[in-house]
Amino acid sequence: MPWTTAPPRRLVILGVAASDCHVVANQLIARFLRDEGFEVENLGACTPVEEFARACARRPEAEALLVGSLNGHIHEDLRGLREAKRSGRVHCPVVVGGNLSVGSSKSPASDRRLYTLGVDRIVHDPATLPAVLAQLRSAGGHFIAGRALGGRAVVERSVGAGASGAGHARVS
């Protein structure tokens, strides 16, 4: 029997970190995700954590919050994320990508700091984003944060309803 209605679109909330006005990659990622069948609420450039939290309140069906940064100041820009998740104002997994630290030298300590701030996944290659979102969705709200598609586990944390930041953490 053929489908009579289209399946509901999967919603993600997308934005660029608060101190960052670079939108070219943001627009390309939005288009890519729409082509992959996602509904994208794109908040655009210079988006503070509070604006992401308001978007989560408006769109409780969102399955992920995607934050990009090119200027390397995302650590400062996400300072309020842990509290927003703890209070339930950000209810879905947070995925970040882009240039995530200042300078040409990248360190694992930068990724660990992001996980400490409340980030659930770091995507270094935007082409892997649909696979990351599929992993988060199949985990049903309980997933291993910090497990990149390349297989390097940085932090594990169980995240479920009401458990934002309350799970166990392991750094390896």
Side-chain angles (χ1 to χ4, degrees):
M1 175 181 236
W3 289 92
T4 56
T5 58
R9 297 186 75 161
R10 299 171 59 192
L11 171 69
V12 294
I13 298 170
L14 173 68
V16 180
S19 70
D20 201 324
C21 62
H22 295 92
V23 293
V24 173
N26 168 276
Q27 293 296 319
L28 292 172
I29 290 169
R31 183 180 178 137
F32 171 72
L33 289 172
R34 287 180 179 122
D35 288 348
E36 292 289 318
F38 287 88
E39 178 181 352
V40 178
E41 179 167 339
N42 191 349
L43 303 176
C46 302
T47 308
V49 169
E50 276 307 310
E51 189 172 341
F52 283 116
R54 285 193 298 273
C56 284
R58 274 193 321 273
R59 306 298 301 265
E61 73 275 27
E63 64 182 64
L65 186 64
L66 311 176
V67 184
S69 176
L70 285 182
N71 69 8
H73 296 286
I74 195 166
H75 297 89
E76 291 80 16
D77 293 336
L78 294 181
R79 278 183 290 184
L81 178 61
R82 177 164 290 290
E83 179 53 34
K85 291 180 81 176
R86 189 173 288 133
S87 68
R89 292 179 294 127
V90 171
H91 59 78
C92 53
V94 176
V95 179
V96 301
N99 180 28
L100 302 176
S101 62
V102 176
S104 59
S105 173
K106 306 301 176 193
S107 111
S110 173
D111 287 359
R112 284 193 297 270
R113 283 182 56 210
L114 288 169
Y115 291 124
T116 301
L117 291 171
V119 169
D120 298 293
R121 291 287 175 104
I122 298 171
V123 172
H124 295 287
D125 178 355
T128 64
L129 195 48
V132 168
L133 294 171
Q135 286 177 339
L136 294 173
R137 187 172 213 215
S138 69
H142 298 279
F143 53 90
I144 305 300
R147 195 170 299 270
L149 284 180
R152 187 184 75 203
V154 178
V155 174
E156 287 188 9
R157 185 178 57 199
S158 174
V159 178
S164 51
H168 66 276
R170 178 174 62 90
V171 177
S172 57

